[in-house]
Amino acid sequence: MSLVRAPRRTLLAAGAGALAAVLTLSACSGDLNGKSGGGDDTNFVTGTGGISTVPKGKRTAAPALTGEDLAGEPLALEDYKGKITVINTWGSWCSPCRGEAEYLEKVAKETKGQGVEFVGINTRDDETGPARAFEEEFGVTYPSFHDPDGRLILEFPKGTLSPQAIPTTIVLDREGKIAARALRPLDDEMLRSMIDPLVSEK
């Protein structure tokens, strides 16, 4: 009896399929329970509206993401060190993402002078065309990583940035540590409630 080896491309496709299956669970979620990632102790304290925060001194460092933006230009999270950084995961296919886009852009403009920067992670858009059309429609001026298979999202510590909930927003303090998270679409007041305490931090 002879064994027939599966072609390498078939094995790679199977691996990609498994990853895609993980990422499609509860896609475009409006989950308000503030939990993800299977119960790891991430030091989050969940407040009202599904917004969770981590006290200073108990925060976890965000990964050093590198990749390309939607125009194909290099983009690195390290470039924002020393700034309060708002990271929002989104997709052009996601209805709640469309609903919160104007608020993200509004707050990005309002807080830029306070040392706050916004960065998106565009996920599950295989091509950049729909994502760039989304940015144009909603006047989004800050950059986004192009992360079609969700690999950048999975670099975050388990229980912090959830691949099962799109949109998700996390806020990093000036040291690049995860200080706040929301597993739901946000308006401008919710965003400010995550950002303003960090602006005031010494």
Side-chain angles (χ1 to χ4, degrees):
M1 181 185 296
S2 63
L3 294 175
V4 179
R5 284 178 174 264
R8 177 175 172 80
R9 63 179 176 273
T10 303
L11 295 173
L12 290 173
L19 178 62
V22 170
L23 294 176
T24 53
L25 292 173
S26 303
C28 224
S29 168
D31 184 5
L32 301 184
N33 64 15
K35 296 178 182 176
S36 73
D40 285 5
D41 181 11
T42 53
N43 295 314
F44 280 115
V45 177
T46 303
T48 57
I51 294 173
S52 304
T53 57
V54 184
K56 192 173 183 179
K58 294 187 176 181
R59 297 171 185 165
T60 304
L65 299 187
T66 58
E68 293 184 349
D69 66 15
L70 296 176
E73 297 296 323
L75 185 59
L77 195 55
E78 180 69 20
D79 294 341
Y80 297 90
K81 199 75 174 284
K83 303 282 189 179
I84 295 163
T85 308
V86 181
I87 302 172
N88 174 260
T89 61
W90 63 279
S92 66
W93 43 268
C94 168
S95 237
C97 300
R98 301 177 73 83
E100 73 173 1
E102 64 176 294
Y103 300 114
L104 289 160
E105 179 61 24
K106 175 179 183 285
V107 177
K109 288 177 177 174
E110 290 174 350
T111 58
K112 192 171 183 66
Q114 297 175 291
V116 180
E117 296 287 347
F118 278 59
V119 183
I121 300 179
N122 168 249
T123 189
R124 300 179 224 169
D125 278 313
D126 291 335
E127 304 295 331
T128 59
R132 295 176 75 175
F134 178 104
E135 288 188 332
E136 185 174 349
E137 179 180 353
F138 293 101
V140 177
T141 57
Y142 54 85
S144 284
F145 289 97
H146 184 223
D147 185 33
D149 56 10
R151 293 182 189 274
L152 294 181
I153 294 173
L154 293 177
E155 287 189 28
F156 281 81
K158 190 174 182 182
T160 56
L161 187 58
S162 172
Q164 288 90 18
I166 304 296
T168 295
T169 300
I170 62 173
V171 184
L172 311 184
D173 63 20
R174 293 182 181 91
E175 295 178 0
K177 295 182 177 180
I178 300 167
R181 176 194 65 186
L183 302 177
R184 55 160 300 163
L186 300 170
D187 61 20
D188 51 345
E189 290 185 6
M190 293 173 180
L191 277 163
R192 293 301 295 254
S193 75
M194 298 169 74
I195 296 167
D196 290 349
L198 298 177
V199 171
S200 302
E201 266 187 5
K202 302 299 181 185

